[in-house]
Amino acid sequence: MALVPTPVMNEGPLFAEVEMGGDSSSSTVRATVVQASTIFYDTPATLDKAERLLSEAASYGAQLVVFPEAFIGGYPRGLTFGVSIGNRTDKGKEEFRKYHASAIDVPGPEVDRLAAMAGKYKVYLVMGVIERDGYTLYCTVLFFDSQGHYLGKHRKIMPTALERIIWGFGDGSTIPVYDTPIGKIGAAICWENRMPLLRTAMYAKGIEIYCAPTADAREVWQATMTHIALEGGCFVLSANQFCRRKDYPPPPEYVFSGTEEDLTPDSVVCAGGSVIISPSGVVLAGPNYDGEALISADLDLGEIVRAKFDFDVIGHYARPEILSLIVKDHPVSPVSFTSTSSTSKAESSSK
């Protein structure tokens, strides 16, 4: 596993050093983004791999470790699940059954193990998972503190394209930003990072370390990450998988629709591009397109204040008398039941 360190910036600092009087805004946090592949259809083995990677990151002094989208449970790249308009095949339904079996319950034993890992290695952990809620799956990020506590989750609110046939939609109740001793941490997943109103909601919650687990390895993704860092005045940590064809099951068990015949076992099917960017838009580490890697940088939290002096999107650069946003952040359920106690009260009052 390669470690990509913080690059030396030869052009000098973008801002002059400012004495912050020892306050928390001038502290430094070592962050690592993991660029590695799921072991597809094998959640226990993927958890073992996650622990090895977490241990290695911690040995380099990481205080925060961010894993890619759907690392636990897998990103089903290339599958169609047998879907065409008006039809779903038996083979596709079986593929979904296997994918459903690889997902995890939240809470559940896998969440407990991840919490134990975070506590064992004394790191804040941001982990991309496929969450199983009954028979519906969600693309989810889980958050853990360095004491081994599960903090909560973010469910992807808008799956992209064919993802919508396999993943449910998160609601406004899981858009958290956690205030921790190393900074205010939150996450948005893949293309929901391109949703301006979602980003604005996160900025309003004071996000400082913006985690962006993704499955997008295109070079244009870097422009999105840089824009968010500048717009939000926050550090952006984007983690993606690096996968070869051989990291997925072989055909006919698993077929990359439309491209399988052109692939060899060593063909790269997701090239990574994981990156860490400062609030001033400077790339601190990455992007890496070479293979599995741990990509680390030291985050100077004083940089957030210096960036906000230029541009504070929900502060001095906001115009709420012209433009405003309402976020419906309550849980939404398709079914509600009147409690037994309420029913009893109603029956008593009618006598």
Side-chain angles (χ1 to χ4, degrees):
M1 179 65 62
L3 175 76
V4 181
T6 305
V8 177
M9 305 304 294
N10 296 323
E11 68 271 21
L14 186 60
F15 295 94
E17 289 296 322
V18 178
E19 177 58 50
M20 301 299 291
D23 68 319
S24 61
S25 69
S26 64
S27 62
T28 299
V29 174
R30 168 145 286 218
T32 296
V33 294
V34 173
Q35 180 165 289
S37 174
T38 299
I39 301 174
F40 213 83
Y41 290 149
D42 194 339
T43 297
T46 302
L47 284 164
D48 290 342
K49 182 174 183 177
E51 181 158 11
R52 292 194 300 270
L53 294 166
L54 199 60
S55 173
E56 187 173 354
S59 74
Y60 291 115
Q63 297 164 273
L64 168 66
V65 181
V66 181
F67 278 76
E69 176 180 12
F71 186 78
I72 306 297
Y75 187 83
R77 189 176 302 276
L79 289 185
T80 66
F81 292 90
V83 171
S84 58
I85 294 177
N87 186 57
R88 285 159 297 282
T89 67
D90 289 342
K91 181 176 185 296
K93 292 178 182 180
E94 175 60 14
E95 288 172 344
F96 182 77
R97 186 202 62 77
K98 293 171 65 176
Y99 190 51
H100 181 272
S102 298
I104 67 172
D105 296 326
V106 180
E110 294 85 1
V111 177
D112 293 342
R113 183 176 176 188
L114 290 168
M117 288 182 203
K120 178 180 179 180
Y121 298 107
K122 306 300 182 187
V123 299
Y124 285 82
L125 172 61
V126 179
M127 175 64 73
V129 308
I130 299 303
E131 176 191 359
R132 180 177 55 226
D133 187 355
Y135 299 102
T136 295
L137 303 180
Y138 294 91
C139 184
T140 298
V141 168
L142 305 181
F143 300 86
F144 304 87
D145 70 15
S146 60
Q147 302 304 306
H149 300 125
Y150 167 62
L151 298 177
K153 66 186 177 185
H154 164 62
R155 284 177 172 175
K156 192 173 189 177
I157 66 170
M158 178 51 70
T160 299
L162 207 62
E163 294 173 357
R164 297 172 198 169
I165 69 166
I166 55 169
W167 296 340
F169 294 63
D171 61 32
S173 68
T174 66
I175 311 175
V177 171
Y178 295 101
D179 192 354
T180 79
I182 63 169
K184 296 178 181 178
I185 302 170
I189 305 169
C190 207
W191 275 23
E192 67 177 2
N193 283 285
R194 297 169 63 175
M195 299 173 70
L197 300 184
L198 175 61
R199 298 198 307 268
T200 302
M202 295 173 68
Y203 301 150
K205 292 187 175 186
I207 192 165
E208 296 171 331
I209 301 176
Y210 187 116
C211 304
T214 189
D216 192 340
R218 300 172 305 155
E219 289 186 13
V220 72
W221 179 251
Q222 303 302 316
T224 296
M225 297 296 94
T226 300
H227 173 78
I228 291 171
L230 288 168
E231 178 182 67
C234 52
F235 290 95
V236 172
L237 284 58
S238 182
N240 193 7
Q241 298 193 33
F242 183 94
C243 308
R244 298 184 185 276
R245 176 62 185 89
K246 63 186 177 184
D247 293 317
Y248 287 81
E253 179 184 5
Y254 193 108
V255 175
F256 278 72
S257 178
T259 61
E260 185 65 58
E261 61 277 7
D262 299 323
L263 299 176
T264 69
D266 287 323
S267 295
V268 175
V269 295
C270 182
S274 302
V275 68
I276 300 175
I277 302 175
S278 81
S280 57
V282 174
V283 175
L284 300 178
N288 181 295
Y289 297 100
D290 299 326
E292 293 198 343
L294 300 177
I295 300 165
S296 295
D298 291 327
L299 314 183
D300 171 13
L301 299 187
E303 182 71 5
I304 296 170
V305 181
R306 295 190 283 272
K308 297 282 192 181
F309 178 65
D310 285 344
F311 184 84
D312 184 357
V313 68
I314 49 86
H316 62 79
Y317 231 87
R319 291 295 304 277
E321 74 280 17
I322 303 173
L323 303 169
S324 62
L325 172 65
I326 297 173
V327 180
K328 299 178 181 178
D329 59 355
H330 57 281
V332 178
S333 174
V335 180
S336 298
F337 293 95
T338 303
S339 69
T340 302
S341 59
S342 297
T343 302
S344 299
K345 290 178 182 178
E347 290 174 348
S348 297
S349 63
S350 64
K351 292 180 180 178

